[in-house]
């Protein structure tokens, strides 16, 4: 998890908070959060990197649309990160 960019960690948080979101759904949520709009050219390579690292699963919803979901490894990594953050940030 420490090797991920902040953007990639944000993607993990978004994915875990949704039920098998499409890339476009993830993009919409991220763009509601950030000041500078995120492009498809930035989003999809980062999602692919998370898939390659085994943190995210990518599957097909239909012929044109993929979904993304956290793998068990991704969930553990996110939980460990959250525990680490909570040690230093008061709720």
């Amino acid at each position: 998890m420490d090797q991920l960019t902040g953007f990639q960690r944000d993607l993990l948080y978004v994915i875990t908070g949704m039920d098998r979101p499409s890339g476009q759904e993830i993009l919409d949520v991220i763009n509601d959060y950030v000041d500078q709009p995120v492009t498809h050219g930035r989003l999809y390579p980062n999602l692919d990197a998370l898939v390659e690292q085994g943190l995210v699963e990518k599957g097909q919803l239909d012929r044109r649309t993929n979904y993304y979901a956290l793998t068990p490894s991704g969930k553990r990594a996110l939980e460990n990160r959250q525990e680490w953050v909570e040690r230093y940030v008061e709720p």
Side-chain angles (χ1 to χ4, degrees), residues 1 11 15 22 25 45 47 50 62 69 75 86 89 91:
M1 189 71 145
L11 292 175
I15 292 168
S22 67
E25 290 171 322
L47 287 172
L50 294 172
D62 58 43
K75 288 178 186 176
E86 289 174 0
V89 178

Side-chain angles (χ1 to χ4, degrees), residues 4 8 11-12 15 46-56:
L4 300 180
Q8 289 170 335
L11 292 175
L12 291 179
I15 292 168
N46 280 282
L47 287 172
D48 288 341
L50 294 172
V51 170
E52 289 173 17
Q53 292 178 39
L55 300 172
V56 171

Side-chain angles (χ1 to χ4, degrees), residues 2 37 83:
D2 62 322
E83 288 172 9

Side-chain angles (χ1 to χ4, degrees), residues 12-90:
L12 291 179
Y13 281 105
V14 169
I15 292 168
T16 198
M18 302 175 78
D19 182 31
R20 294 173 34 162
S22 67
Q24 185 61 51
E25 290 171 322
I26 295 167
L27 186 64
D28 291 343
V29 171
I30 288 289
N31 277 330
D32 284 343
Y33 172 69
V34 297
D35 293 331
Q36 296 286 329
V38 174
T39 64
H40 289 91
R42 180 175 179 206
L43 175 69
Y44 289 104
N46 280 282
L47 287 172
D48 288 341
L50 294 172
V51 170
E52 289 173 17
Q53 292 178 39
L55 300 172
V56 171
E57 166 193 344
K58 177 181 176 180
Q60 272 193 317
L61 288 174
D62 58 43
R63 295 177 121 175
R64 294 176 16 112
T65 308
N66 292 321
Y67 73 84
Y68 297 87
L70 257 60
T71 63
S73 294
K75 288 178 186 176
R76 277 192 305 279
L78 200 54
E79 289 167 355
N80 291 340
R81 173 70 178 191
Q82 191 63 30
E83 288 172 9
W84 183 82
V85 168
E86 289 174 0
R87 277 190 257 158
Y88 302 101
V89 178
E90 293 184 30

